[in-house]
Amino acid sequence: MPKLRVLAGPSANELTPISHIVNTFQTHRIKSNRFDGEICVHIKGFVDEDGNRNDSAYFDPIPLSSTGTSNGSEYIGVGGHKYGKSVGSFSSTSSDTSSVQSSSGSVKGGEQRKAVTWSIQVRGRFLVEGLTMDDVLFGNTFDRRLKLPWGSGAALKFMNFVDPTLEHSLSSEKPWALSPLISTMPYFAISHADGPTHGFATPNGAYVQDDTQQLEVPHFKNPGARRQYFSNVSKRREIPIETDDVITTDFCYGFLSFPEIRLNLPGGISFDLLNYWDGQPVRFVCCERQKSDRENGGGGGALKGPGDPFWVVVFQAVLDGEEPTPLPGEIQQTNGLHEDDSGEGADNKSAEEVRKGKEDRRRLQEDVD
């Protein structure tokens, strides 16, 4: 049975392992000169690199009356344990750290998440001046050619059906597939500087819900209406992103199943992705549209590839009997602490140092045996 490592950071060259907080409702801080925010990951059937299985109430909410109380983005459970907070966590502005959940309520949210198998929630501020909703992209990038299975055309048709704004170059040397953030995210909420932020999911079944009320756009009856409206590039360009806006998203779907890592499509089409896996991690990237694309008009099929990143989340498969391979740019800690999660500094080791240390320990064990 394959296991998973999860990493996150401001770029693919600066990643911190966060498997230890997956499915815990704890958040990981991501901060750079381009983005300041936090991330929370849930994976149904998650088994970490050490073989530990940790289930999440995101997929099976616990009734609030039997567990504790809700306090904005912070959930206080039995024994006073706090979920949805990390030490030194992101705050929306210097003066306002309040948080709200959608008025749609947890019951409706739970119904919407019924078939979901994974969730990547992100909340934060984009710190680059002059952005519009057309300039922030989300999708997947890879470092080398993909081994695409027979029938992958059906998968691409399904993805284009789910997201008509998707652009891709999956047969290139460095494949990618990207869409504007606002037209691809299943759930998207935005708050201006003087408004409350939106809370992450909590164990009692409250979820991120769509909220674009602070934008000068029509009222959308559901996320699908919002995605359809912003599939028009001119509509995306009309909406600026201010550096003090707080955007909250939940990228959650159910067409991947874990821990076996299968792609399940409508019509009974299913792929065992490990049969086509060449060791590459799955990288979820939020990035800026390349400036050359903007100068050439951008949108409408003009995308040439990913631009500078805002944040990155990586899923890395670890096969049975194999040691996890540290990724290039991965930050490792010698004392088991993660700087962004603990709020304290820690001695960092490069991926190469970690790999060499493991090899030295293996040789030493062989000598002893």
Side-chain angles (χ1 to χ4, degrees), residues 112-113 116 133-134 138 158-166 179-189 208-212 215 217-237 239 248-255:
Q112 292 169 339
R113 292 343 193 251
V116 165
M133 287 296 178
D134 190 49
F138 176 79
F158 170 69
M159 296 308 298
N160 279 121
F161 173 76
V162 173
D163 178 11
T165 62
L166 175 71
S179 306
L181 184 79
I182 195 169
S183 60
T184 193
M185 277 291 165
Y187 299 97
F188 178 99
V208 175
Q209 299 293 336
D210 251 52
D211 186 356
T212 53
L215 300 180
V217 295
H219 172 73
F220 303 123
K221 62 181 181 180
N222 54 44
R226 182 255 305 161
R227 293 197 297 269
Q228 182 178 11
Y229 179 86
F230 284 110
S231 65
N232 185 319
V233 60
S234 63
K235 299 298 184 184
R236 297 195 299 268
R237 291 178 186 158
I239 308 298
T248 305
T249 57
D250 189 358
F251 184 68
C252 54
Y253 280 109
F255 50 77

Side-chain angles (χ1 to χ4, degrees), residues 56-82:
S56 172
Y58 179 100
F59 308 105
D60 187 18
I62 305 167
L64 181 62
S65 60
S66 65
T67 57
T69 60
S70 178
N71 181 19
S73 64
E74 182 177 68
Y75 174 85
I76 304 175
V78 174
H81 184 75
K82 296 180 180 180

